[in-house]
């Protein structure tokens, strides 16, 4: 087993509220691991503890063999982080921002290549404020890649995006994965998890209640004798929308 | 070091690309000086005298008109008295028909009771003009004053005002610039994103502070330069001393800005706090007007305002050519404030 991230018995409490209640999971090198759950389930808090942004109450996180609590600086060197409301300085162009973030990791950055990866090449001289929602999220991923991280953390990368922008972003995430990066993402869209993730952990009220590949979880459910009353529909309104506005996912 | 320089360069670029920032820190103070350059607060001002001349003789009126300190207007008795009641005249002089012919009593002077200083001055000048007329007729020998012009530096209101406005703009850009800037960085999650990088956050603060101080030095150079070039500022001090005092003051106000951004969650919370701190200083620290006229206790309290130290220090250097030794009290005051405010800033500052 080649685990790049080992989380054991992670806990976080805010006053009376137990936000994360003994969470454990492993992430394999090269996989896309999804943490699913409704708002307030503790997904973001879990990620932020792994990312060194929030103190860990108890439990342990080993990232690429490093103890997150003991060696936060080294951990920061190895992770790429996209926060839920990632935001950047106003009056710097995308290229300038990428170069500046590179400096923070003491790295020379190939900004055009990163922008290419996020399909933002023609926006190199724009400010973040001039980008659409989807472009912002893609830039935020490009910025998370400046240090060529071992693991990329994406916190609800597609929340608030329209279907086209969401599919566009999925394309970017798949390509990054195909280049061998490990990705941990949170989402509350089941469809997204099914589409992108090799394995998912389902979280509710601070606990992980299931952890397996999506198809496996579905098999388990069906094995319990679950049947869903359904009307056969060969297409839905989203398909209509995509058909009308173009499958090629034109730039938003 | 490389990272610090890159961060500073980025911060400078951002500042230069932000039109509002340049307007607030550089252009607005200059505009204020420009506006105030039209106001004449210099000297005693004029004594407004209404003259009602019933006689044919105009020698007295002509003599009075040559005196620069007076503002003479002629009219009818009722009119002029009405003006006096409205406060537009300090005195009204009524010259009778029989003026110059008899020589005793004859002239009537109405005084505005609300303007004792002006009426006294006006009365003396009129009496003096009358004596002059009488002496001319008598041909008696008399003592003459021999007047010689001495070149003085005739400091104007602008000389007082410009260093004050400079101090004010240092305060405003320090307190408001930093407080708003950091609250926005905090609120929009930019600071959090930076915390996720291995960059030492101290480097980031260092770069921010250095950039602000660089901009502050630019403010000093632009204000003094524009003052000398366009506003006839009698600058005789050392620009290096100016920069030094300005930097020390800058540290105090930057620290206040950091402290405010530490205790506030949003722009809405920062604005009132920043105003509560800066407005009293703006009014009472001798930026626009000398503190001489403040009542005793206010005078004593405002002595200790950081803006007072900064404005007084900059002013003495600029127009009195004060050395650093001369402004030692101000330097000391600002240093004490710097220690206090930095301590509070470190205690109050929060990353999220």
């Amino acid at each position: 087993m080649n685990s790049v991230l080992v989380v054991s018995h992670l806990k976080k409490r805010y006053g009376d509220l137990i936000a994360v209640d003994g969470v454990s999971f492993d992430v394999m090198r090269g996989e896309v691991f999804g943490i699913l759950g409704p708002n307030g389930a503790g997904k973001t808090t879990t990620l932020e503890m792994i990312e060194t942004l929030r103190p860990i109450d108890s439990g342990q996180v080993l990232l690429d063999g490093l103890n997150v609590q003991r060696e936060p600086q080294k951990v920061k060197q190895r992770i790429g982080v996209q926060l839920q409301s990632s935001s950047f300085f106003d009056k710097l162009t995308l290229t300038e921002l990428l170069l500046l973030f590179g400096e923070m990791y003491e790295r020379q950055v190939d900004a055009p290549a990163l922008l290419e990866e996020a399909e933002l090449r023609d926006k190199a001289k724009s400010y973040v404020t001039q980008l659409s929602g989807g472009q912002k999220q893609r830039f935020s991923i490009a910025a998370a890649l400046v240090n060529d991280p071992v693991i990329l953390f994406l916190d609800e990368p597609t929340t608030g995006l329209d279907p086209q922008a969401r599919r566009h972003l999925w394309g970017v995430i798949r390509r990054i994965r195909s280049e061998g990066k490990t990705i941990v993402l949170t989402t509350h869209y089941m469809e997204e998890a099914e589409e992108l993730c090799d394995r998912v952990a389902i979280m509710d009220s601070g606990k992980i209640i299931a952890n397996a590949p999506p198809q496996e979880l579905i098999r388990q459910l069906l094995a319990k004798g679950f049947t869903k009353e359904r009307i056969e529909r060969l297409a839905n309104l989203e398909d209509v929308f995509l058909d009308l506005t173009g499958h090629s996912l034109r730039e938003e | 070091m490389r990272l610090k320089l890159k961060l500073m360069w980025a911060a400078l670029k951002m500042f230069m690309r932000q039109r509002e920032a340049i307007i607030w820190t550089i252009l607005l103070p200059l505009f204020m000086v420009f506006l105030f350059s039209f106001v004449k607060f210099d000297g005693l001002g004029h004594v407004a005298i209404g003259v009602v001349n019933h006689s044919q003789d105009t020698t007295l009126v002509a003599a009075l008109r040559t005196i620069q300190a007076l503002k003479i207007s002629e009219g009818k008795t009722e009119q002029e008295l009405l003006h006096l009641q409205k406060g537009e005249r300090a005195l009204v002089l009524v010259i009778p028909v029989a003026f110059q012919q008899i020589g005793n009593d004859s002239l009537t002077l109405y005084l505005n009771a609300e303007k004792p200083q002006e009426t006294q001055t006006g009365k003396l000048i009129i009496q003096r003009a009358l004596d002059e007329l009488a002496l001319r007729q008598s041909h008696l020998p008399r003592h003459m004053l021999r007047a010689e012009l001495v070149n003085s530096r005739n400091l104007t209101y602008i000389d007082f005002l410009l260093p004050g406005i400079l101090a004010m703009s240092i305060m405003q850009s320090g307190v408001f610039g930093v407080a708003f800037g950091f609250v926005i960085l905090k609120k929009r999650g930019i600071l959090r994103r930076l915390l996720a990088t291995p960059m030492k956050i101290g480097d980031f603060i260092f770069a921010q502070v250095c950039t602000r101080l660089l901009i502050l030095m630019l403010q000093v150079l632009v204000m003094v330069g524009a003052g000398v070039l366009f506003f006839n500022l009698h600058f005789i001090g050392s620009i290096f001393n100016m920069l030094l005092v300005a930097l020390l003051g800058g540290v105090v106000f930057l620290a206040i800005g950091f402290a405010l951004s530490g205790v506030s969650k949003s722009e809405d919370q920062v604005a009132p706090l920043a105003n509560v701190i800066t407005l009293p200083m703006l009014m009472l620290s001798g930026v626009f007007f000398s503190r001489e006229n403040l009542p005793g206790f206010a005078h004593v309290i405002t002595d200790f305002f950081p803006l007072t130290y900064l404005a007084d220090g900059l002013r003495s250097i600029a127009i009195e050519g004060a050395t650093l030794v001369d402004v030692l009290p101000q330097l000391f005051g600002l240093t004490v404030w710097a220690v206090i405010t930095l301590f509070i800033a470190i205690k109050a500052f929060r990353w999220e």
Side-chain angles (χ1 to χ4, degrees), chain B residues 133-144:
Chain B
L133 285 180
L135 277 168
R136 248 186 247 168
Q137 290 166 349
S138 69
H139 305 291
L140 287 169
R142 54 186 176 135
H143 294 288
M144 291 294 290

Side-chain angles (χ1 to χ4, degrees), chain B residues 285-302:
Chain B
S285 284
V287 166
F288 296 98
F289 304 102
S290 167
R291 291 184 305 121
E292 310 255 297
N293 296 329
L294 290 178
F297 69 94
H299 201 291
V300 172
I301 293 170
T302 56

Side-chain angles (χ1 to χ4, degrees), chain A residues 48 53-54 73 76-77 81 83 85 87-92 96 103-105 108 127 143-144, chain B residues 2-3 6-7 10 13-14 17-18 185 188-190 192-199 204 352:
Chain A
E48 288 184 337
L53 292 175
R54 224 171 260 290
Q73 285 308 103
K76 284 177 182 177
Q77 284 285 0
V81 172
L83 301 174
S85 56
S87 177
F88 298 90
F89 300 115
D90 268 349
K91 297 282 174 180
L92 292 179
E96 288 169 335
E103 294 291 340
M104 296 175 195
Y105 292 90
Q108 298 290 320
Y127 296 142
Chain B
R2 179 189 157 88
L3 174 59
K6 290 277 178 185
L7 287 168
K13 259 196 284 196
M14 283 186 266
R17 289 173 187 173
Q18 210 148 21
L185 288 182
R188 291 188 16 211
I190 299 176
R192 202 163 176 69
R193 180 64 186 82
L194 295 177
L195 283 173
T197 74
M199 170 181 67
F204 180 69
E352 38 195 320

Side-chain angles (χ1 to χ4, degrees), chain A residues 3 10 22 50 63 73 85 117 146 159 164 170 190:
Chain A
S3 297
L10 207 54
I50 300 169
L63 193 146
Q73 285 308 103
S85 56
E117 180 124 50
V146 289
T159 296
Q164 285 180 13
W170 291 353
M190 301 303 138

